[in-house]
Amino acid sequence: RDWRFVSAVSLLYAAVMAVDALGALTFGALFDRLGLSVLAAAAVVSALFAPFVFLRPSLPWLLGGAGLWALGMGAQESVFKAAIATLVPKAERARAYGVFFGFFGLAWWLGSTAMGWLYGRSLGGLVLFSVTTQLAAAAVLLAVGHRAARR
């Protein structure tokens, strides 16, 4: 076992979690001021992670991609629950959280399965799938945000 590799992975994970935490704080504060469009912006930014990680095999690009992914994760972790709380009446929130995160988990699993399948066949296809689905999610989030703002 190469302990230098294990140490490097551990340090990368710790750095990614720090960026995740900063992203959660930043996007949570921005959500309070600007609403759901902030999450759409985070989806666009984090969509860039795949080209960084899979098309540029070098440490600086990997670190940049991991940072973009972590920002997106932080935004999701802080804003999804807040968004549901603003969109759904209090008496229905528990069910809304369950339904949303049930579908979210299913979509995550399906997307990860597709990306795993693509990884062995076409890195370009994997990147295209990843970026396209992230941008589609951003469009949905913008539409929901505009609809919520009109209420």
Side-chain angles (χ1 to χ4, degrees):
R1 176 176 265 186
D2 185 354
W3 289 106
R4 289 175 297 169
F5 176 76
V6 172
S7 296
V9 169
S10 299
L11 289 173
L12 176 61
Y13 185 77
V16 165
M17 290 300 99
V19 172
D20 176 293
L22 292 173
L25 291 169
T26 301
F27 284 103
L30 289 172
F31 174 79
D32 288 341
R33 281 191 254 132
L34 303 173
L36 204 53
S37 62
V38 167
L39 193 53
V44 171
V45 169
S46 64
L48 299 173
F49 100 89
F52 275 64
V53 171
F54 296 110
L55 297 181
R56 298 286 193 175
S58 69
L59 184 60
W61 286 95
L62 172 65
L63 295 175
L68 292 169
W69 177 80
L71 280 176
M73 290 299 297
Q76 290 175 13
E77 292 164 357
S78 65
V79 175
F80 277 155
K81 292 176 184 122
I84 290 169
T86 62
L87 296 171
V88 178
K90 187 175 184 177
E92 300 172 23
R93 283 188 198 148
R95 185 176 66 241
Y97 288 132
V99 169
F100 177 82
F101 285 104
F103 280 108
F104 182 83
L106 178 63
W108 190 298
W109 175 72
L110 290 171
S112 296
T113 300
M115 288 178 71
W117 184 83
L118 285 165
Y119 184 80
R121 286 156 184 80
S122 169
L123 287 181
L126 181 152
V127 169
L128 180 65
F129 174 80
S130 178
V131 170
T132 301
T133 54
Q134 284 282 95
L135 295 179
V140 169
L141 290 165
L142 279 175
V144 170
H146 287 305
R147 184 173 161 208
R150 286 194 307 257
R151 284 196 215 175

